[in-house]
Amino acid sequence: MFLIKLIKTVKGFLLSAIILLCLFSTFIHAESETFAIVSDSHIGSNDSVYEEFIQAIDKQNIDVIIHCGDAIHTPGSSKQWKRFIDITGSNKTLHITPGNHDIQGNKSLNEFLRYFPELYYSHSDEDTLFIFLNSELPGEEGMITGKQLAWLKDELQKTFRYKFVFVHRPLFPIFGLHGLDKHKQQRDELHQLFAKQGVSLVVSGHDHLYNRRKMDGITYIIAAASGGQTRFLSDTRFYFRYIVGKRTQSGYYFTVKDMDGATGDEFKINNN
């Protein structure tokens, strides 16, 4: 009788320990996933602060970067691509959705493929699907169409709690006809697809100014630039921003920071 009670007690203790271990592991995992989002670094321009951005995220122990395009300034420049890769460093995980300064015709596309073998792709992390689109395919500039659209529809049918999309040209740009809105019907159909398939977040670049809006349950972000501003403005540093995303127990928490570390905006993505 004593032996039976002892066995039951041990079983109960082991079960409790396993449950606590699982909960602890989940907590550690949920609180430790951090990544940085940056856009329009324009390596090769005289005001790029991409190197300063790398230094800033190094101090925060962030080693995952999502780049929303226009990494370099001159399409097809192998020198600028090599510089971009060198600044990023071999200790970083880099995801990129190319911009119009990265790919502008077949020659620059081939140069891009030397460093990044996939023109569009997805990456999953447990309950989150990250989709990286290409708005610069030759002959399909400013659109998500053809084979890429068919692939996207298949990807979005996958079951994930969170679905995040990254594409250089914004669906709803700050400046009219400066993004995917050049082809309004296709843009609207893309937005409807995102809404139908439960996309929570869409992040773009291209406009060089930060913007956040919410439409049909989707948070649309335009990431500010980190270079290439002197073409538009004389005092450029004020406009340089990057975004830190962190996984929490309740979802994702995002902080928009300037190059001095000050917070410009904060928002959450929670899918209950």
Side-chain angles (χ1 to χ4, degrees), residues 133-136 140-145 165 167-173 175 177-188 190-191 194 202 204 206 220:
L133 298 178
N134 192 330
S135 58
E136 311 308 322
E140 300 176 5
E141 296 90 342
M143 296 182 285
I144 305 299
T145 189
V165 175
V167 58
H168 180 66
R169 302 197 196 199
L171 278 75
F172 303 97
F175 310 104
L177 303 180
H178 192 243
L180 299 186
D181 61 328
K182 281 186 177 181
H183 306 276
K184 189 175 183 299
Q185 181 177 345
Q186 291 176 322
R187 185 279 309 272
D188 290 347
L190 188 62
H191 167 70
F194 289 162
V202 179
S204 302
H206 197 52
Y220 281 96

Side-chain angles (χ1 to χ4, degrees), residues 46-115:
N46 59 10
D47 65 342
S48 177
V49 293
Y50 186 64
E51 190 167 6
E52 193 173 336
F53 157 75
I54 294 295
Q55 293 170 357
I57 66 171
D58 279 345
K59 291 178 181 178
Q60 300 170 68
N61 297 315
I62 299 173
D63 57 12
V64 177
I65 299 170
I66 296 175
H67 199 299
C68 290
D70 282 358
I72 66 171
H73 191 64
T74 307
S77 171
S78 59
K79 180 180 179 180
Q80 291 176 13
W81 275 123
K82 289 175 183 176
R83 179 63 178 155
F84 173 76
I85 296 298
D86 286 345
I87 293 173
T88 302
S90 59
N91 63 330
K92 299 289 190 297
T93 298
L94 174 65
H95 297 285
I96 187 168
T97 172
N100 53 298
H101 282 259
D102 304 321
I103 298 177
Q104 199 172 103
N106 289 313
K107 183 178 179 180
S108 54
L109 180 144
N110 291 332
E111 188 66 28
F112 177 86
L113 288 171
R114 289 182 58 192
Y115 302 94

Side-chain angles (χ1 to χ4, degrees), residues 1-20:
M1 191 70 173
F2 173 76
L3 183 60
I4 293 174
K5 287 183 177 180
L6 180 62
I7 291 172
K8 287 182 177 179
T9 301
V10 171
K11 283 184 176 179
F13 175 77
L14 288 174
L15 180 60
S16 298
I18 291 170
I19 291 172
L20 286 171

Side-chain angles (χ1 to χ4, degrees), residues 120-137:
Y120 49 87
Y121 66 100
S122 68
H123 161 73
S124 62
D125 186 358
E126 295 198 354
D127 63 354
T128 306
L129 180 66
F130 297 83
I131 295 178
F132 304 94
L133 298 178
N134 192 330
S135 58
E136 311 308 322
L137 291 175

Side-chain angles (χ1 to χ4, degrees), residues 138-156:
E140 300 176 5
E141 296 90 342
M143 296 182 285
I144 305 299
T145 189
K147 292 181 179 179
Q148 182 177 196
L149 180 59
W151 170 85
L152 174 62
K153 290 178 177 179
D154 288 340
E155 287 297 300
L156 289 177

